[in-house]
Structures are given as C-alpha cells and as structure tokens.
Amino acid sequence: MGEQRAVVTGASSGIGAATVRRLRAEGFEVLAVARRADRLQALAAETGCSALTADLTDQADVDALRAAVEDRFGGDLTALVNNAGGAFGTDTVEGAKAEDWQRMFDVNVLATLRTTQALLPALRAGRGGDVLVMSSTAARIVYEGGGGYTAAKHAESAIAETLRLELAGDPVRVLEVAPGMVRTEEFSLNRTGGDAARAEAVYAGVREPLVAEDVADCVAWMLTRPRHVNVDLLVVRPLAQAAQHKVVREQD
C-alpha cells in the first residue's frame, strides 16, 4: 500500500495508545499526540512511533502539530485519527455544571474541528488521506445523566457527516467509529471524578466488555480498505450490550 503516515490524537492511554500500537504493527509511521509527555515517551520507546506533547484545545499547540506533520512527514499525511476526547460528570441536565459541558465540547468537538482544519492540506497531498472521527454510541442516542457527553458526541458526529458532504470529490475519506461499552483504564474513572467504585460499577456483571484493542482493530481495518471503499460509520458494541439501555449483567 506504500508508505503510510498517521497522526493519532489522545494517544497517551486507552483506545489512542492501542491504535498507535496497531497501526505501527500494520507498518504505519505514526505521530502520537497527547498532553502527557511521560506516557508518550514510553509509547514511543515501545513502538517506535514519533511523539508530540500538545493540548489540542489550544490553537498554538494545534499549529505546532501542523508544523510537526510538515517537518516529519513532508506535509503528506495518510490518516488523522481524531481520538482525543472524554466524558466528565454524570449530572442531570438540570443539575449539570456548565464548566463540565464546556470541557467536553472543547476536547471532543473543538479539538476535532481545529485538528482537522489544520491537517486537511496534508491529507489532500499525495494520493489523499483519511479523517477518522472516534465518536461513540452516545452520538446516536441520549440517556439520563449523559446530556453533556451525548451532546458533545452528537456534535462531533455532525462534523464527520458534514465534512464528508463538503469534501465530496476530494481524495479524502471521512470515517467514523462509534464504540459502545469499552473498558479502559481511565474513561469511567475520569467521568466519575476519580471515584474508583463508581467507575467499576459501570462494568459490573458484564461479560467481556470491549477493550481498547478491539476498537483499534476496527480503526486499522477501516484505514486499510481499498481507497474506493469509504466506511462511513462503524458501530461496535460488546455482545452483552444490545443497545445503550440493554446490557446483560450476570449475577455472582
């Protein structure tokens, strides 16, 4: 398939780190981007990826990412995996903290917007490239206590759907992965403000929730399809989760 070059955001843990590992195994050159330098350095030592410490809610750091792609890849990019994001809080709409919603829109929506805008010229270069958006099943349906996160993920999905229309005729594919329940080391812990018991309860009794490597497998498959194949949306859940509100939980 020739030389493949990818940027993966939110690469310091979870799905992002797993995606870096998987794409490296597929032969991609990878620039891993995240805020935590120590974790990125460890990932680079493990996989041979390049690393850039950046906060993608800061336009100056996004500009630095664009410059890094120019410097390291000659401005020719195969794929941008917009994985950075997260959920903060489980409050009702009535009791929600506006700052939690702001943070979720900053990291899920505006970071995806800024990064995509910055790297589209590099994705158009050469034979063309891919914009992949890591959304969620929360981008398809809402649920109690998830108003802020579902609103942000709906908005992020709207970026992907709109961009696909706007780029029709360009050599750029726009792909979206919408995972359901994925057990990672940090997602639920961050959402519950560090409450380990509440975070663990999310997965209680669920036989084999997805893990980060499952989602990374989906990402790699989508990115390595022939160029004429555009996987618009891939929804992936564990077998135990038939829908957002339908989860089989086994009793001890």
Side-chain angles (χ1 to χ4, degrees):
M1 295 181 64
E3 198 167 31
Q4 308 275 14
R5 306 179 180 96
V7 167
V8 179
T9 70
S12 60
S13 67
I15 293 171
T19 298
V20 171
R21 294 185 182 101
R22 179 58 189 270
L23 293 183
R24 288 292 295 143
E26 293 280 346
F28 281 71
E29 290 185 57
V30 179
L31 175 58
V33 183
R35 291 175 295 121
R36 292 178 288 186
D38 56 339
R39 287 181 173 241
L40 283 180
Q41 289 166 4
L43 186 63
E46 173 195 342
T47 66
C49 72
S50 300
L52 178 70
T53 304
D55 178 352
L56 299 178
T57 67
D58 183 332
Q59 185 61 48
D61 281 12
V62 175
D63 292 341
L65 170 58
R66 180 173 55 227
V69 168
E70 180 66 38
D71 179 57
R72 300 179 196 194
F73 297 155
D76 185 355
L77 189 62
T78 307
L80 165 61
V81 180
N82 281 304
N83 172 72
F88 310 106
T90 57
D91 297 324
T92 63
V93 170
E94 183 178 15
K97 302 175 183 66
E99 55 268 29
D100 285 344
W101 282 53
Q102 182 68 62
R103 186 179 178 193
M104 285 186 277
F105 270 79
D106 285 343
V107 301
N108 291 286
V109 184
L110 296 180
T112 292
L113 174 66
R114 292 175 189 273
T115 306
T116 302
Q117 287 176 332
L119 297 185
L120 268 176
L123 290 164
R124 284 193 176 102
R127 66 183 183 88
D130 299 332
V131 177
L132 188 144
V133 173
M134 187 66 65
S135 65
S136 168
T137 51
R140 325 314 300 178
I141 190 169
V142 300
Y143 52 89
E144 301 95 324
Y149 183 60
T150 58
K153 285 300 184 182
H154 273 72
E156 189 177 25
S157 180
I159 291 176
E161 293 181 10
T162 306
L163 189 64
R164 190 178 300 115
L165 295 173
E166 293 174 346
L167 294 182
D170 283 12
V172 178
R173 299 188 299 190
V174 181
L175 320 169
E176 182 181 352
V177 185
M181 181 181 286
V182 184
R183 186 172 196 162
T184 63
E185 65 267 35
E186 293 186 328
F187 180 85
S188 290
L189 197 62
N190 288 337
R191 186 168 202 175
T192 60
D195 187 327
R198 286 180 62 207
E200 187 62 25
V202 173
Y203 311 104
V206 179
R207 178 185 292 184
E208 294 185 300
L210 298 181
V211 294
E213 289 75 16
D214 295 323
V215 182
D217 183 48
C218 294
V219 171
W221 178 79
M222 293 168 77
L223 294 180
T224 55
R225 295 310 85 210
R227 290 299 305 167
H228 70 285
V229 178
N230 194 109
V231 183
D232 287 12
L233 172 66
L234 192 158
V235 177
V236 55
R237 309 179 197 265
L239 182 60
Q241 185 184 34
Q244 209 79 344
H245 285 83
K246 183 70 171 179
V247 180
V248 178
R249 297 184 186 271
E250 299 177 352
Q251 302 299 315
D252 293 333

